[in-house]
Amino acid sequence: MGELQVEKLRNNPLKARYIKQLLADIAALEQILDKRMFEQSPIRIGAEQEFCLVDESWQPSNKALEVLKNIDDPHFTTELALYNLEINLDPVPLSGNCFSEMHLQLDQLLTMANKVAEESATKIILCGILPTISKRHLNLEYLTPIPRYKILNEVIKEIRNNDIEIHIKGVDELNIRHDSVLFEGCNTSFQAHLQIDPYDFMDTYNWSQAIAGPILSICTNSPMLFGRELWEETRIALFTQSVDTRASNFLLNESEPRVNFGNSWAKGTVVDYYKDSITGFRSLLTSATDVDSLNELKQGKIPKLKALSLHNGTVYTWNRVCYGITNGRPHIRIENRYIPSGPTTEDEIANMMLWMGVMMGRPKKFNAIHTKMDFKDAKSNFFNAARYGMAAQFYWDGQLISSQQLLLDHFLPMAFKGLYSMGVAPKDAEHYLKIIEKRIATQNGSRWTIKSYRKLRKEFKLPDALTILTAKMYQGQQKGYSVDAWQLPRGDEFVIGKNEKKVYQIMNVRTITALDSDSSELVLKMMQWKNIHHVPILNDDLDLVGLLTWTDLKEYLEHPEKFEGPIKDFMKTELITITEEEGMNRAKALMESKGINCLPVVHGKKLVGIVTTKDL
């Protein structure tokens, strides 16, 4: 959104002025289109690289502002969370060696950032969702202290009037509530920008929608969150829910989430696209400015359309249309937001080239795609790709076809044709599209991550497996080989000393619990059947209120007639607990001094895990 001074729009005295500016921006955009003032050539491309920062233990680092200050380069900017930063690459014309030139700049900027980050004991990781990110990294202390992020968080919470709920079901299931938008900070992407012809807007934009699913399927790189295997590209579900302003109610809610694929093919001009956006989504923010876009046009100036850009910056379509100015001339570009960061810059540039090649290589038979393909097929293709990645099947040109076959037989030839038509150097095209071809035959980032994680879990506890996985990712990125050539981790990529461990690294999170109103006889029987030595007891608010132990079970086995009625009549209520951030040695000392064999791990009143002598 740039460094605008933004405020809440709700109940703001500037609201009327902002709305007036927004409407003036739409009118100005209409005039720019009617007077054919838009630049149509050369076609330029650009990209934004979001990345994660980790500390020496491969956990999210909160040093983004410190690293940004030390980098001191205008290509870098902040992101929502203090463990993310972003690079804005220089736009270049789509021709010649543009992709290898962009790749070179990206590598140079990342090398510089890595060097500066090391001075703050920090490293840079390229991945859609950082494996080691956990619930504790979503507290507001990790929100970048810039007004627009704080305001965005407050506005979304006010509109929802409730906590943010995340529910994603894949191989595993995640069902969790949170009180801030920092779930959005879990996502990092490599956003490619392609300038388009505004006078062919409808056909071009609809084509970008039609190809989104197949393109995403080979690029997925975010299959996990909090150690759970979810979608092959979990970012799609997570980002959608993390900034959703719609609260659940008893009525059928027909509105779209702010992060969306769309509900129908685009119709009309680029101005109609923006009108639909304003109609469908209320503005969240406002900025104080007296600039009148229509007056600027009368004076022969090209307006920046700040109010419209501010609104557009809080509506996150996966193919987002952006207005900009280059060398004094306005342009329209599509921002591809669905492709994740990583695994390497080689992979990212290859992903970008595939998308842009297919965009430019559209066969004539697919002109006016909205008349030849049902929009719901395009939308289902997109979500199938997000869920299943390379295992997805797509509805394409009247048939059901596998991801691999569609990419190899149709999309790669299209991409070559499109790139050559733009004068892209054959050496560049062959180099990067060969990466896609090899990936189709082997593995993409999400498949490598899942295979690696499952291998590590056979030997390591969950936190250690995620830590080693992250270390292995970093090693692969430093070597620079594309992900099709990556080996699975051996397990020695990072050695975690026992004395360094914290409670969250050793605790069990999959704990059998019971409610204080449950039958004591039934719960004690379950302890006997499963050989469970400790059962935490929760109340109706799911607060930790008691504990049943092996001692209770032994007494039950000797005198079963005594244990009739609810658990609350028998459970221990004087509990000794610990928090997840405390050290393992502290847990051990506490258990020894109190003569106990287990410690419930709590966050406030809520149980988040349990540590036993066996874990130590």
Side-chain angles (χ1 to χ4, degrees), residues 380-407:
S380 69
N381 285 348
F382 181 75
F383 286 105
N384 282 343
R387 285 187 176 96
Y388 309 118
M390 291 171 66
Q393 294 193 92
F394 301 116
Y395 294 101
W396 186 261
D397 199 17
Q399 59 181 317
L400 186 63
I401 186 169
S402 71
S403 166
Q404 290 91 334
Q405 188 183 345
L406 180 55
L407 289 162

PDB file of all heavy atoms in Angstrom, residues 380-407:
ATOM      1  N   SER A 380     -13.001 -24.298  -9.648  1.00  0.00           N
ATOM      2  CA  SER A 380     -12.746 -25.607  -9.026  1.00  0.00           C
ATOM      3  C   SER A 380     -11.346 -26.103  -9.371  1.00  0.00           C
ATOM      4  O   SER A 380     -10.683 -26.726  -8.536  1.00  0.00           O
ATOM      5  CB  SER A 380     -13.800 -26.630  -9.445  1.00  0.00           C
ATOM      6  OG  SER A 380     -13.674 -26.973 -10.808  1.00  0.00           O
ATOM      7  N   ASN A 381     -10.866 -25.799 -10.585  1.00  0.00           N
ATOM      8  CA  ASN A 381      -9.484 -26.141 -10.943  1.00  0.00           C
ATOM      9  C   ASN A 381      -8.500 -25.483  -9.982  1.00  0.00           C
ATOM     10  O   ASN A 381      -7.520 -26.094  -9.547  1.00  0.00           O
ATOM     11  CB  ASN A 381      -9.167 -25.683 -12.368  1.00  0.00           C
ATOM     12  CG  ASN A 381      -9.793 -26.576 -13.426  1.00  0.00           C
ATOM     13  OD1 ASN A 381     -10.285 -27.663 -13.141  1.00  0.00           O
ATOM     14  ND2 ASN A 381      -9.787 -26.109 -14.668  1.00  0.00           N
ATOM     15  N   PHE A 382      -8.761 -24.215  -9.651  1.00  0.00           N
ATOM     16  CA  PHE A 382      -7.858 -23.474  -8.762  1.00  0.00           C
ATOM     17  C   PHE A 382      -7.816 -24.108  -7.372  1.00  0.00           C
ATOM     18  O   PHE A 382      -6.732 -24.342  -6.811  1.00  0.00           O
ATOM     19  CB  PHE A 382      -8.315 -22.018  -8.675  1.00  0.00           C
ATOM     20  CG  PHE A 382      -7.437 -21.162  -7.808  1.00  0.00           C
ATOM     21  CD1 PHE A 382      -6.189 -20.741  -8.249  1.00  0.00           C
ATOM     22  CD2 PHE A 382      -7.857 -20.772  -6.538  1.00  0.00           C
ATOM     23  CE1 PHE A 382      -5.381 -19.952  -7.444  1.00  0.00           C
ATOM     24  CE2 PHE A 382      -7.055 -19.983  -5.732  1.00  0.00           C
ATOM     25  CZ  PHE A 382      -5.804 -19.573  -6.182  1.00  0.00           C
ATOM     26  N   PHE A 383      -8.973 -24.420  -6.818  1.00  0.00           N
ATOM     27  CA  PHE A 383      -8.983 -24.978  -5.464  1.00  0.00           C
ATOM     28  C   PHE A 383      -8.544 -26.443  -5.448  1.00  0.00           C
ATOM     29  O   PHE A 383      -7.977 -26.906  -4.448  1.00  0.00           O
ATOM     30  CB  PHE A 383     -10.358 -24.769  -4.822  1.00  0.00           C
ATOM     31  CG  PHE A 383     -10.583 -23.338  -4.427  1.00  0.00           C
ATOM     32  CD1 PHE A 383     -11.414 -22.514  -5.165  1.00  0.00           C
ATOM     33  CD2 PHE A 383      -9.898 -22.793  -3.349  1.00  0.00           C
ATOM     34  CE1 PHE A 383     -11.584 -21.180  -4.810  1.00  0.00           C
ATOM     35  CE2 PHE A 383     -10.053 -21.462  -2.991  1.00  0.00           C
ATOM     36  CZ  PHE A 383     -10.894 -20.656  -3.728  1.00  0.00           C
ATOM     37  N   ASN A 384      -8.771 -27.171  -6.548  1.00  0.00           N
ATOM     38  CA  ASN A 384      -8.196 -28.521  -6.643  1.00  0.00           C
ATOM     39  C   ASN A 384      -6.679 -28.468  -6.618  1.00  0.00           C
ATOM     40  O   ASN A 384      -6.020 -29.290  -5.973  1.00  0.00           O
ATOM     41  CB  ASN A 384      -8.664 -29.212  -7.927  1.00  0.00           C
ATOM     42  CG  ASN A 384     -10.079 -29.745  -7.813  1.00  0.00           C
ATOM     43  OD1 ASN A 384     -10.610 -29.897  -6.723  1.00  0.00           O
ATOM     44  ND2 ASN A 384     -10.704 -30.019  -8.949  1.00  0.00           N
ATOM     45  N   ALA A 385      -6.110 -27.497  -7.330  1.00  0.00           N
ATOM     46  CA  ALA A 385      -4.651 -27.332  -7.335  1.00  0.00           C
ATOM     47  C   ALA A 385      -4.141 -26.994  -5.945  1.00  0.00           C
ATOM     48  O   ALA A 385      -3.110 -27.521  -5.501  1.00  0.00           O
ATOM     49  CB  ALA A 385      -4.251 -26.233  -8.325  1.00  0.00           C
ATOM     50  N   ALA A 386      -4.848 -26.104  -5.242  1.00  0.00           N
ATOM     51  CA  ALA A 386      -4.427 -25.717  -3.895  1.00  0.00           C
ATOM     52  C   ALA A 386      -4.482 -26.912  -2.940  1.00  0.00           C
ATOM     53  O   ALA A 386      -3.599 -27.087  -2.095  1.00  0.00           O
ATOM     54  CB  ALA A 386      -5.302 -24.583  -3.372  1.00  0.00           C
ATOM     55  N   ARG A 387      -5.484 -27.746  -3.106  1.00  0.00           N
ATOM     56  CA  ARG A 387      -5.631 -28.900  -2.199  1.00  0.00           C
ATOM     57  C   ARG A 387      -4.680 -30.039  -2.547  1.00  0.00           C
ATOM     58  O   ARG A 387      -4.071 -30.647  -1.667  1.00  0.00           O
ATOM     59  CB  ARG A 387      -7.073 -29.417  -2.252  1.00  0.00           C
ATOM     60  CG  ARG A 387      -8.078 -28.549  -1.528  1.00  0.00           C
ATOM     61  CD  ARG A 387      -9.449 -29.237  -1.481  1.00  0.00           C
ATOM     62  NE  ARG A 387     -10.410 -28.466  -0.704  1.00  0.00           N
ATOM     63  CZ  ARG A 387     -11.282 -27.609  -1.219  1.00  0.00           C
ATOM     64  NH1 ARG A 387     -11.306 -27.408  -2.528  1.00  0.00           N
ATOM     65  NH2 ARG A 387     -12.120 -26.944  -0.454  1.00  0.00           N
ATOM     66  N   TYR A 388      -4.563 -30.342  -3.834  1.00  0.00           N
ATOM     67  CA  TYR A 388      -3.895 -31.582  -4.236  1.00  0.00           C
ATOM     68  C   TYR A 388      -2.598 -31.391  -5.020  1.00  0.00           C
ATOM     69  O   TYR A 388      -1.901 -32.365  -5.300  1.00  0.00           O
ATOM     70  CB  TYR A 388      -4.870 -32.454  -5.049  1.00  0.00           C
ATOM     71  CG  TYR A 388      -6.189 -32.659  -4.356  1.00  0.00           C
ATOM     72  CD1 TYR A 388      -7.377 -32.206  -4.917  1.00  0.00           C
ATOM     73  CD2 TYR A 388      -6.251 -33.289  -3.115  1.00  0.00           C
ATOM     74  CE1 TYR A 388      -8.594 -32.381  -4.267  1.00  0.00           C
ATOM     75  CE2 TYR A 388      -7.467 -33.463  -2.454  1.00  0.00           C
ATOM     76  CZ  TYR A 388      -8.630 -33.004  -3.030  1.00  0.00           C
ATOM     77  OH  TYR A 388      -9.817 -33.167  -2.378  1.00  0.00           O
ATOM     78  N   GLY A 389      -2.271 -30.159  -5.405  1.00  0.00           N
ATOM     79  CA  GLY A 389      -1.006 -29.911  -6.098  1.00  0.00           C
ATOM     80  C   GLY A 389      -0.867 -30.726  -7.369  1.00  0.00           C
ATOM     81  O   GLY A 389      -1.757 -30.758  -8.217  1.00  0.00           O
ATOM     82  N   MET A 390       0.252 -31.441  -7.483  1.00  0.00           N
ATOM     83  CA  MET A 390       0.536 -32.228  -8.686  1.00  0.00           C
ATOM     84  C   MET A 390      -0.391 -33.439  -8.822  1.00  0.00           C
ATOM     85  O   MET A 390      -0.424 -34.073  -9.880  1.00  0.00           O
ATOM     86  CB  MET A 390       1.993 -32.677  -8.678  1.00  0.00           C
ATOM     87  CG  MET A 390       2.979 -31.534  -8.881  1.00  0.00           C
ATOM     88  SD  MET A 390       4.701 -32.030  -8.615  1.00  0.00           S
ATOM     89  CE  MET A 390       4.953 -33.176  -9.965  1.00  0.00           C
ATOM     90  N   ALA A 391      -1.133 -33.770  -7.791  1.00  0.00           N
ATOM     91  CA  ALA A 391      -2.073 -34.899  -7.879  1.00  0.00           C
ATOM     92  C   ALA A 391      -3.440 -34.460  -8.397  1.00  0.00           C
ATOM     93  O   ALA A 391      -4.338 -35.288  -8.555  1.00  0.00           O
ATOM     94  CB  ALA A 391      -2.229 -35.548  -6.500  1.00  0.00           C
ATOM     95  N   ALA A 392      -3.598 -33.176  -8.682  1.00  0.00           N
ATOM     96  CA  ALA A 392      -4.902 -32.652  -9.115  1.00  0.00           C
ATOM     97  C   ALA A 392      -5.224 -33.074 -10.547  1.00  0.00           C
ATOM     98  O   ALA A 392      -4.332 -33.319 -11.367  1.00  0.00           O
ATOM     99  CB  ALA A 392      -4.913 -31.128  -9.018  1.00  0.00           C
ATOM    100  N   GLN A 393      -6.519 -33.145 -10.824  1.00  0.00           N
ATOM    101  CA  GLN A 393      -7.010 -33.292 -12.197  1.00  0.00           C
ATOM    102  C   GLN A 393      -7.846 -32.054 -12.521  1.00  0.00           C
ATOM    103  O   GLN A 393      -8.482 -31.480 -11.632  1.00  0.00           O
ATOM    104  CB  GLN A 393      -7.860 -34.548 -12.345  1.00  0.00           C
ATOM    105  CG  GLN A 393      -7.079 -35.836 -12.160  1.00  0.00           C
ATOM    106  CD  GLN A 393      -7.882 -37.032 -12.635  1.00  0.00           C
ATOM    107  OE1 GLN A 393      -7.789 -37.463 -13.783  1.00  0.00           O
ATOM    108  NE2 GLN A 393      -8.699 -37.561 -11.754  1.00  0.00           N
ATOM    109  N   PHE A 394      -7.825 -31.668 -13.794  1.00  0.00           N
ATOM    110  CA  PHE A 394      -8.476 -30.421 -14.185  1.00  0.00           C
ATOM    111  C   PHE A 394      -9.468 -30.627 -15.321  1.00  0.00           C
ATOM    112  O   PHE A 394      -9.264 -31.483 -16.189  1.00  0.00           O
ATOM    113  CB  PHE A 394      -7.422 -29.396 -14.636  1.00  0.00           C
ATOM    114  CG  PHE A 394      -6.415 -29.065 -13.571  1.00  0.00           C
ATOM    115  CD1 PHE A 394      -5.073 -29.372 -13.740  1.00  0.00           C
ATOM    116  CD2 PHE A 394      -6.805 -28.452 -12.398  1.00  0.00           C
ATOM    117  CE1 PHE A 394      -4.145 -29.074 -12.758  1.00  0.00           C
ATOM    118  CE2 PHE A 394      -5.887 -28.145 -11.412  1.00  0.00           C
ATOM    119  CZ  PHE A 394      -4.553 -28.451 -11.586  1.00  0.00           C
ATOM    120  N   TYR A 395     -10.515 -29.793 -15.294  1.00  0.00           N
ATOM    121  CA  TYR A 395     -11.425 -29.717 -16.423  1.00  0.00           C
ATOM    122  C   TYR A 395     -10.840 -28.698 -17.397  1.00  0.00           C
ATOM    123  O   TYR A 395     -10.712 -27.523 -17.085  1.00  0.00           O
ATOM    124  CB  TYR A 395     -12.817 -29.274 -15.958  1.00  0.00           C
ATOM    125  CG  TYR A 395     -13.475 -30.304 -15.064  1.00  0.00           C
ATOM    126  CD1 TYR A 395     -13.492 -30.144 -13.678  1.00  0.00           C
ATOM    127  CD2 TYR A 395     -14.051 -31.456 -15.612  1.00  0.00           C
ATOM    128  CE1 TYR A 395     -14.083 -31.103 -12.867  1.00  0.00           C
ATOM    129  CE2 TYR A 395     -14.637 -32.414 -14.799  1.00  0.00           C
ATOM    130  CZ  TYR A 395     -14.650 -32.232 -13.428  1.00  0.00           C
ATOM    131  OH  TYR A 395     -15.234 -33.191 -12.626  1.00  0.00           O
ATOM    132  N   TRP A 396     -10.455 -29.179 -18.587  1.00  0.00           N
ATOM    133  CA  TRP A 396      -9.793 -28.304 -19.556  1.00  0.00           C
ATOM    134  C   TRP A 396     -10.204 -28.700 -20.969  1.00  0.00           C
ATOM    135  O   TRP A 396     -10.066 -29.864 -21.359  1.00  0.00           O
ATOM    136  CB  TRP A 396      -8.273 -28.383 -19.409  1.00  0.00           C
ATOM    137  CG  TRP A 396      -7.571 -27.389 -20.276  1.00  0.00           C
ATOM    138  CD1 TRP A 396      -6.994 -27.616 -21.495  1.00  0.00           C
ATOM    139  CD2 TRP A 396      -7.414 -26.006 -20.013  1.00  0.00           C
ATOM    140  NE1 TRP A 396      -6.474 -26.458 -21.998  1.00  0.00           N
ATOM    141  CE2 TRP A 396      -6.716 -25.438 -21.100  1.00  0.00           C
ATOM    142  CE3 TRP A 396      -7.778 -25.171 -18.963  1.00  0.00           C
ATOM    143  CZ2 TRP A 396      -6.397 -24.089 -21.175  1.00  0.00           C
ATOM    144  CZ3 TRP A 396      -7.451 -23.822 -19.020  1.00  0.00           C
ATOM    145  CH2 TRP A 396      -6.770 -23.305 -20.124  1.00  0.00           C
ATOM    146  N   ASP A 397     -10.709 -27.730 -21.685  1.00  0.00           N
ATOM    147  CA  ASP A 397     -11.058 -27.918 -23.095  1.00  0.00           C
ATOM    148  C   ASP A 397     -11.960 -29.138 -23.291  1.00  0.00           C
ATOM    149  O   ASP A 397     -11.746 -29.964 -24.184  1.00  0.00           O
ATOM    150  CB  ASP A 397      -9.778 -28.041 -23.936  1.00  0.00           C
ATOM    151  CG  ASP A 397     -10.029 -27.772 -25.422  1.00  0.00           C
ATOM    152  OD1 ASP A 397     -11.087 -27.182 -25.743  1.00  0.00           O
ATOM    153  OD2 ASP A 397      -9.186 -28.161 -26.247  1.00  0.00           O
ATOM    154  N   GLY A 398     -12.928 -29.249 -22.398  1.00  0.00           N
ATOM    155  CA  GLY A 398     -13.931 -30.303 -22.551  1.00  0.00           C
ATOM    156  C   GLY A 398     -13.540 -31.661 -22.041  1.00  0.00           C
ATOM    157  O   GLY A 398     -14.287 -32.633 -22.234  1.00  0.00           O
ATOM    158  N   GLN A 399     -12.387 -31.795 -21.399  1.00  0.00           N
ATOM    159  CA  GLN A 399     -12.007 -33.101 -20.873  1.00  0.00           C
ATOM    160  C   GLN A 399     -11.395 -32.988 -19.483  1.00  0.00           C
ATOM    161  O   GLN A 399     -10.987 -31.913 -19.059  1.00  0.00           O
ATOM    162  CB  GLN A 399     -11.017 -33.796 -21.824  1.00  0.00           C
ATOM    163  CG  GLN A 399      -9.733 -33.014 -22.065  1.00  0.00           C
ATOM    164  CD  GLN A 399      -8.802 -33.736 -23.025  1.00  0.00           C
ATOM    165  OE1 GLN A 399      -8.622 -34.948 -22.916  1.00  0.00           O
ATOM    166  NE2 GLN A 399      -8.206 -33.006 -23.960  1.00  0.00           N
ATOM    167  N   LEU A 400     -11.367 -34.117 -18.780  1.00  0.00           N
ATOM    168  CA  LEU A 400     -10.718 -34.194 -17.476  1.00  0.00           C
ATOM    169  C   LEU A 400      -9.304 -34.700 -17.699  1.00  0.00           C
ATOM    170  O   LEU A 400      -9.108 -35.761 -18.292  1.00  0.00           O
ATOM    171  CB  LEU A 400     -11.494 -35.142 -16.557  1.00  0.00           C
ATOM    172  CG  LEU A 400     -11.020 -35.234 -15.109  1.00  0.00           C
ATOM    173  CD1 LEU A 400     -11.168 -33.903 -14.396  1.00  0.00           C
ATOM    174  CD2 LEU A 400     -11.812 -36.320 -14.363  1.00  0.00           C
ATOM    175  N   ILE A 401      -8.331 -33.937 -17.221  1.00  0.00           N
ATOM    176  CA  ILE A 401      -6.938 -34.226 -17.576  1.00  0.00           C
ATOM    177  C   ILE A 401      -6.047 -34.020 -16.354  1.00  0.00           C
ATOM    178  O   ILE A 401      -6.300 -33.142 -15.530  1.00  0.00           O
ATOM    179  CB  ILE A 401      -6.501 -33.317 -18.760  1.00  0.00           C
ATOM    180  CG1 ILE A 401      -5.118 -33.673 -19.273  1.00  0.00           C
ATOM    181  CG2 ILE A 401      -6.603 -31.856 -18.407  1.00  0.00           C
ATOM    182  CD1 ILE A 401      -4.769 -32.996 -20.594  1.00  0.00           C
ATOM    183  N   SER A 402      -5.000 -34.838 -16.224  1.00  0.00           N
ATOM    184  CA  SER A 402      -4.110 -34.734 -15.065  1.00  0.00           C
ATOM    185  C   SER A 402      -3.243 -33.485 -15.161  1.00  0.00           C
ATOM    186  O   SER A 402      -2.994 -32.954 -16.253  1.00  0.00           O
ATOM    187  CB  SER A 402      -3.208 -35.966 -14.972  1.00  0.00           C
ATOM    188  OG  SER A 402      -2.244 -35.943 -16.018  1.00  0.00           O
ATOM    189  N   SER A 403      -2.775 -33.030 -14.016  1.00  0.00           N
ATOM    190  CA  SER A 403      -1.886 -31.868 -13.954  1.00  0.00           C
ATOM    191  C   SER A 403      -0.672 -32.066 -14.853  1.00  0.00           C
ATOM    192  O   SER A 403      -0.322 -31.197 -15.660  1.00  0.00           O
ATOM    193  CB  SER A 403      -1.443 -31.648 -12.500  1.00  0.00           C
ATOM    194  OG  SER A 403      -0.364 -30.757 -12.424  1.00  0.00           O
ATOM    195  N   GLN A 404      -0.017 -33.230 -14.720  1.00  0.00           N
ATOM    196  CA  GLN A 404       1.211 -33.481 -15.496  1.00  0.00           C
ATOM    197  C   GLN A 404       0.953 -33.433 -16.997  1.00  0.00           C
ATOM    198  O   GLN A 404       1.716 -32.819 -17.746  1.00  0.00           O
ATOM    199  CB  GLN A 404       1.817 -34.848 -15.112  1.00  0.00           C
ATOM    200  CG  GLN A 404       2.421 -34.889 -13.718  1.00  0.00           C
ATOM    201  CD  GLN A 404       1.424 -35.334 -12.664  1.00  0.00           C
ATOM    202  OE1 GLN A 404       0.211 -35.156 -12.832  1.00  0.00           O
ATOM    203  NE2 GLN A 404       1.923 -35.895 -11.571  1.00  0.00           N
ATOM    204  N   GLN A 405      -0.126 -34.094 -17.428  1.00  0.00           N
ATOM    205  CA  GLN A 405      -0.412 -34.152 -18.864  1.00  0.00           C
ATOM    206  C   GLN A 405      -0.778 -32.775 -19.407  1.00  0.00           C
ATOM    207  O   GLN A 405      -0.330 -32.384 -20.497  1.00  0.00           O
ATOM    208  CB  GLN A 405      -1.551 -35.143 -19.128  1.00  0.00           C
ATOM    209  CG  GLN A 405      -1.780 -35.405 -20.617  1.00  0.00           C
ATOM    210  CD  GLN A 405      -2.953 -36.335 -20.878  1.00  0.00           C
ATOM    211  OE1 GLN A 405      -3.442 -37.009 -19.961  1.00  0.00           O
ATOM    212  NE2 GLN A 405      -3.427 -36.361 -22.119  1.00  0.00           N
ATOM    213  N   LEU A 406      -1.579 -32.022 -18.663  1.00  0.00           N
ATOM    214  CA  LEU A 406      -1.988 -30.695 -19.113  1.00  0.00           C
ATOM    215  C   LEU A 406      -0.775 -29.774 -19.240  1.00  0.00           C
ATOM    216  O   LEU A 406      -0.638 -29.032 -20.219  1.00  0.00           O
ATOM    217  CB  LEU A 406      -3.009 -30.105 -18.143  1.00  0.00           C
ATOM    218  CG  LEU A 406      -3.554 -28.714 -18.468  1.00  0.00           C
ATOM    219  CD1 LEU A 406      -4.158 -28.661 -19.868  1.00  0.00           C
ATOM    220  CD2 LEU A 406      -4.594 -28.286 -17.437  1.00  0.00           C
ATOM    221  N   LEU A 407       0.117 -29.838 -18.266  1.00  0.00           N
ATOM    222  CA  LEU A 407       1.299 -28.970 -18.289  1.00  0.00           C
ATOM    223  C   LEU A 407       2.266 -29.363 -19.413  1.00  0.00           C
ATOM    224  O   LEU A 407       2.748 -28.511 -20.158  1.00  0.00           O
ATOM    225  CB  LEU A 407       2.011 -29.019 -16.933  1.00  0.00           C
ATOM    226  CG  LEU A 407       1.264 -28.320 -15.791  1.00  0.00           C
ATOM    227  CD1 LEU A 407       1.803 -28.786 -14.433  1.00  0.00           C
ATOM    228  CD2 LEU A 407       1.384 -26.806 -15.900  1.00  0.00           C
TER     229      LEU A 407
END
